[in-house]
Amino acid sequence: MNWQAAINLNRDALLRVLGTLLAMTTPHLSRQSRSAILRVLRPAESAARRLIVIAARLYKEAPRKPAPIAQSNRLPNFAAFKPTAKTPRFKLFDPRKRLIEFQKPKQTSKFMPRISVIGVSTPLFYTAKPPRELTAKHLCQRLAALQEALNDLPKQAKRLARQLEKRKTASAGPRRVPPLRPGLPPGYRSNPAHEVDALLKECHRLALYALEPPT
């Protein structure tokens, strides 16, 4: 299996998807635009994590010779998305599913009774709150973190390898979980609606194959 060729092929495709997301993002987004970007960003992040898992295997096999990445394939660091000291690092581990106990919702009254008597009381009318303004700050940080990770996969592979070594000696609990969560990856859709859905499916398959113990 030519792992490096598989990494380069899927990484280039993810960079194209990321370039489209960067072009769509503005400082102020509508709720519909933000939802549309997140529907593509979540599976793109999951696919990138799986490429890093595969790259970590290559780094483990040959730690002194990380695979080079062509400079021409890098995305330009746009001013609005240039990684800074405040930009969070790309998350190497899948978010875990939260099991929330079913709780009966509290029955609370949100509105005052609108009962009035003509000539005695003043009618009460409900005043709708103005829509909350959505900013793209957090979204831009996630895009910048993903961009930085895809531009330097060997660096992310070293990060993952170091964290996995530390987790070998950690006590049982959340600090011992693997980078990929069981079951379907975050952002997975059974009915593909975008190019990134096929990329996530392929990267997930390759990552599971890379994690299989040698026979």
Side-chain angles (χ1 to χ4, degrees):
M1 179 66 180
N2 190 339
W3 291 110
Q4 191 57 55
I7 290 175
N8 291 339
L9 181 64
N10 289 280
R11 172 186 168 274
D12 291 345
L14 283 176
L15 284 174
R16 291 194 298 269
V17 172
L18 179 58
T20 303
L21 295 180
L22 291 174
M24 293 172 56
T25 307
T26 57
H28 298 281
L29 293 170
S30 64
R31 192 175 299 275
Q32 292 79 6
S33 298
R34 184 176 182 274
S35 299
I37 293 175
L38 286 175
R39 280 195 297 269
V40 179
L41 179 57
R42 290 191 186 103
E45 291 173 333
S46 294
R49 289 190 195 97
R50 278 137 186 85
L51 290 184
I52 294 172
V53 168
I54 301 172
R57 168 180 171 164
L58 297 182
Y59 173 73
K60 185 177 180 180
E61 293 177 353
R64 296 184 180 179
K65 296 180 180 180
I69 294 179
Q71 183 72 20
S72 58
N73 290 338
R74 286 175 172 262
L75 272 178
N77 284 326
F78 297 100
F81 305 98
K82 187 174 182 180
T84 62
K86 295 183 180 180
T87 300
R89 284 185 171 185
F90 183 73
K91 295 182 180 179
L92 301 177
F93 289 75
D94 284 341
R96 260 45 189 181
K97 295 181 180 179
R98 296 182 180 180
L99 301 178
I100 304 176
E101 297 182 359
F102 176 78
Q103 295 180 354
K104 186 177 180 180
K106 297 181 180 179
Q107 299 294 335
T108 57
S109 177
K110 297 182 179 179
F111 310 105
M112 296 180 62
R114 294 181 290 178
I115 301 175
S116 60
V117 180
I118 298 177
V120 177
S121 59
T122 303
L124 298 175
F125 298 96
Y126 171 70
T127 304
K129 295 182 179 180
R132 186 178 61 179
E133 183 178 308
L134 297 177
T135 62
K137 180 180 178 181
H138 180 65
L139 194 61
C140 291
Q141 290 178 341
R142 289 175 62 176
L143 289 169
L146 177 58
Q147 175 184 336
E148 186 179 17
L150 290 175
N151 280 341
D152 198 348
L153 285 180
K155 178 181 178 181
Q156 305 302 322
K158 294 176 184 178
R159 281 183 57 210
L160 181 60
R162 289 194 299 266
Q163 294 192 27
L164 292 178
E165 285 297 325
K166 293 180 180 179
R167 289 176 178 244
K168 289 181 179 179
T169 58
S171 56
R175 294 185 177 277
R176 291 290 297 272
V177 298
L180 306 185
R181 76 183 189 188
L184 298 176
Y188 178 86
R189 283 187 288 267
S190 56
N191 296 324
H194 192 275
E195 176 189 3
V196 72
D197 297 324
L199 287 173
L200 174 56
K201 185 177 181 180
E202 177 65 14
C203 292
H204 185 62
R205 182 186 67 83
L206 291 174
L208 292 180
Y209 183 65
L211 292 174
E212 289 182 356
T215 55

